[in-house]
Amino acid sequence: MTEIPFLQFAFLDFEASSLDDDSWPIEVGLSWIDQNLDVQTFQSLIRPAPEWPEHAWSPRSAKVHNILRRDLDDAPDVHTVANDLLKALHGRTALSDAPPFERHWLDRLCAAADVTDPVSLLDFHTITGRIFSSVALDFLYERLERINAPHRAGPDSARFARSWLAGMRRETEMKMGVK
């Protein structure tokens, strides 16, 4: 499995106040596959920055992710979350199935925390298609479809990491001649 550059990637997901242009991140999840082939996950709710507009909170979005606005009042602040996220991501390229959305919320988080955003964010589907063989891709995407997406950032990012791990295992089996 070492031929697949799994250590260089992490899987990023945000939950947000809404899908509007002025929306802001409310939860972040980052998952990666470690050297022991275990999925590790960093996850945190995010207390809104004072400058983030309350009118960007959507009750409709809250029904999807099941996070109440009041749940964020005691969450870690933007500085803590941004620094912890960047520390967990250090040296890795972030993959997302929705890079424009994730970039928007990552930029909002980092700007509010007044930290430099050195994150390289690429499309999950594009990178996955370049790395895996067609048989492993079928296996990976089948696995991805079978894992329920709970619309919580940590479990959603872990879902992508576990799918990659399944694809990596399938690649190894094919190379070893296992059907």
Side-chain angles (χ1 to χ4, degrees):
M1 278 196 252
T2 57
E3 292 179 31
I4 295 172
F6 64 92
L7 292 174
Q8 81 179 59
F9 295 107
F11 307 89
L12 179 66
D13 188 64
F14 280 98
E15 298 301 328
S17 62
S18 68
L19 296 178
D20 296 339
D21 288 341
D22 56 356
S23 66
W24 30 272
I26 64 169
E27 184 178 49
V28 63
L30 181 75
S31 295
W32 61 93
I33 302 165
D34 69 15
Q35 291 179 339
N36 297 320
L37 301 179
D38 292 322
V39 173
Q40 303 296 322
T41 299
F42 163 78
Q43 173 181 319
S44 182
L45 290 173
I46 304 166
R47 184 179 337 138
E51 66 268 22
W52 292 348
E54 279 296 325
H55 72 266
W57 179 263
S58 165
R60 188 177 198 176
S61 291
K63 287 182 181 179
V64 173
H65 50 61
N66 203 28
I67 298 170
L68 303 175
R69 172 59 186 86
R70 69 176 173 260
D71 294 342
L72 305 177
D73 292 338
D74 294 322
D77 64 37
V78 294
H79 298 90
T80 300
V81 176
N83 286 312
D84 289 350
L85 173 64
L86 294 177
K87 182 178 175 185
L89 188 55
H90 181 74
R92 296 183 181 96
T93 298
L95 299 181
S96 165
D97 66 329
F101 286 104
E102 309 306 350
R103 173 55 64 194
H104 171 73
W105 296 316
L106 180 61
D107 289 349
R108 298 267 345 232
L109 175 65
C110 288
D114 198 28
V115 298
T116 303
D117 170 10
V119 177
S120 177
L121 179 61
L122 301 175
D123 181 71
F124 172 87
H125 304 290
T126 301
I127 298 303
T128 299
R130 288 181 188 158
I131 290 176
F132 290 93
S133 68
S134 60
V135 172
L137 272 175
D138 288 344
F139 194 79
L140 183 153
Y141 278 104
E142 181 179 312
R143 174 67 187 252
L144 188 62
E145 290 301 314
R146 283 191 295 182
I147 302 172
N148 190 26
H151 299 291
R152 292 298 300 258
D156 286 352
S157 67
R159 177 176 167 257
F160 285 97
R162 286 190 180 93
S163 297
W164 251 53
L165 189 54
M168 289 167 47
R169 289 185 172 133
R170 185 65 186 130
E171 288 279 9
T172 300
E173 290 169 357
M174 289 182 337
K175 287 181 180 157
M176 295 174 60
V178 177
K179 291 188 178 187

